[in-house]
Amino acid sequence: MSQPTTAPSDTDVHTATLEVPGAVLTYDVRPGTGDDVPLFLFASPMPAAGLAALAAHVGDRTVITYDPRGSARSTRPDPTAPSTPDDHAGDLHRIIAAVTDGPVDVFASSGGAVNALALVTAHPEQVRTLVAHEPPLARMLPDRDAALAACTAVADAYQQDGFGAGMARFITLVMRRGPIGADVFDPAPDPAAFGLPTTDDGSRDDVLLGQNLRAGTAYQPDLAALRAAATRIVVAVGAESEGEFAARAGVALAELLGVPVVTVPSHHVGFSEGGGGAPAGDPPAFAAALRTVLAG
């Protein structure tokens, strides 16, 4: 297996925009030194900048990254309107078609992994291998009713009391290990304990809490279509994520699809350098593990 090469400089990155139904997307293409199919890296709602550290360690591949609709450079006429995994899948389909006539390999994390499953369902010919990292699919869990109710409670808290209240519940939920019970928010988490604002600024355009959370966590993958797809699907979970919502859902999904589960370094955002309240991961080790998985 070839080894990582030096990543292209910022001046080598080609940035373009693409108008799609309901949004204008911004995506980046980093040319690679090899001739393998492009590698599309994305999460949701994390923008392309969050994947930069991972992209830097796969320089032998042409790498595509993008900002999901409503995030960072990708704009929407109505920033408060919800987005569904099918909406995002349509965006991914159009970006791939704009970059290449052939298939790509995909590493997709969190909400991005949910959207990637929708992409493979609709356009399996565009994805050779999908590495789905910790997709937070509440319906995959044995405690699905409580998980769905908790996700609804997060979104409701955001709509009623603002960002701090919603995000405090979101962090509490995603960091919980083991089954989710009706007491997950009892007592209600204090935003100040997480360094979050305790007052409501009135805005309701947060991409995660306002646009993607409800539809993404409640998404029901078409298991039959995914099993029938020519796409090779692998589920990845972080070594430090055992028992957490997204990791548990990923393992359950893999069991239902009959596909492998691989353990990759670090935690839910282990491919990033951290920042913005997220802990630092281990991008070099994560990239090495990803390269091994993609090599089959």
Side-chain angles (χ1 to χ4, degrees):
M1 183 175 67
S2 60
Q3 296 301 307
T5 60
T6 302
S9 67
D10 289 342
T11 58
D12 295 324
V13 177
H14 170 68
T15 298
T17 59
L18 182 65
E19 187 169 353
V20 301
V24 177
L25 307 174
T26 298
Y27 66 93
D28 306 306
V29 181
R30 293 168 169 80
T33 59
D35 57 3
D36 206 341
V37 303
L39 174 59
F40 199 168
L41 308 175
F42 55 88
S44 183
M46 178 182 282
L51 283 301
L54 181 58
H57 292 281
V58 287
D60 60 319
R61 302 282 292 268
T62 292
V63 173
I64 310 165
T65 54
Y66 90 119
D67 296 343
R69 56 173 55 208
S71 178
R73 302 166 296 171
S74 291
T75 59
R76 306 179 64 201
D78 180 1
T80 64
S83 298
T84 69
D86 289 331
D87 293 331
H88 290 288
D91 296 344
L92 297 166
H93 161 64
R94 292 177 176 88
I95 291 174
I96 293 170
V99 173
T100 178
D101 293 331
V104 299
D105 286 340
V106 168
F107 167 78
S109 183
S110 194
V114 177
N115 301 338
L117 294 168
L119 170 66
V120 169
T121 300
H123 300 284
E125 75 285 351
Q126 286 191 306
V127 183
R128 185 177 69 173
T129 295
L130 165 61
V131 181
H133 179 243
E134 300 197 7
L137 294 163
R139 294 188 187 276
M140 299 295 99
L141 298 173
D143 46 321
R144 61 182 62 84
D145 291 342
L148 286 166
C151 293
T152 297
V154 171
D156 287 347
Y158 171 65
Q159 294 297 334
Q160 294 166 10
D161 299 315
F163 177 79
M167 185 55 71
R169 284 167 174 78
F170 176 78
I171 294 171
T172 299
L173 175 61
V174 299
M175 292 183 65
R176 182 184 179 101
R177 296 185 187 270
I180 297 163
D183 61 345
V184 63
F185 302 131
D186 184 17
D190 179 6
F194 299 98
L196 296 166
T198 57
T199 57
D200 182 1
D201 67 3
S203 63
R204 294 297 184 270
D205 58 356
D206 184 78
V207 182
L208 170 63
L209 301 176
Q211 293 183 29
N212 294 342
L213 180 66
R214 291 182 193 267
T217 55
Y219 179 70
Q220 175 62 59
D222 187 334
L223 299 177
L226 293 170
R227 292 189 196 104
T231 302
R232 171 180 171 246
I233 300 175
V234 178
V235 174
V237 297
E240 300 171 22
S241 302
E242 183 176 359
E244 293 178 354
F245 176 7
R248 292 175 59 228
V251 171
L253 172 68
E255 291 176 352
L256 289 168
L257 290 178
V259 303
V261 177
V262 298
T263 301
V264 291
S266 199
H267 45 68
H268 188 63
V269 287
F271 52 85
S272 77
E273 293 180 326
D282 189 350
F286 200 102
L290 175 60
R291 292 166 63 86
T292 298
V293 174
L294 291 172

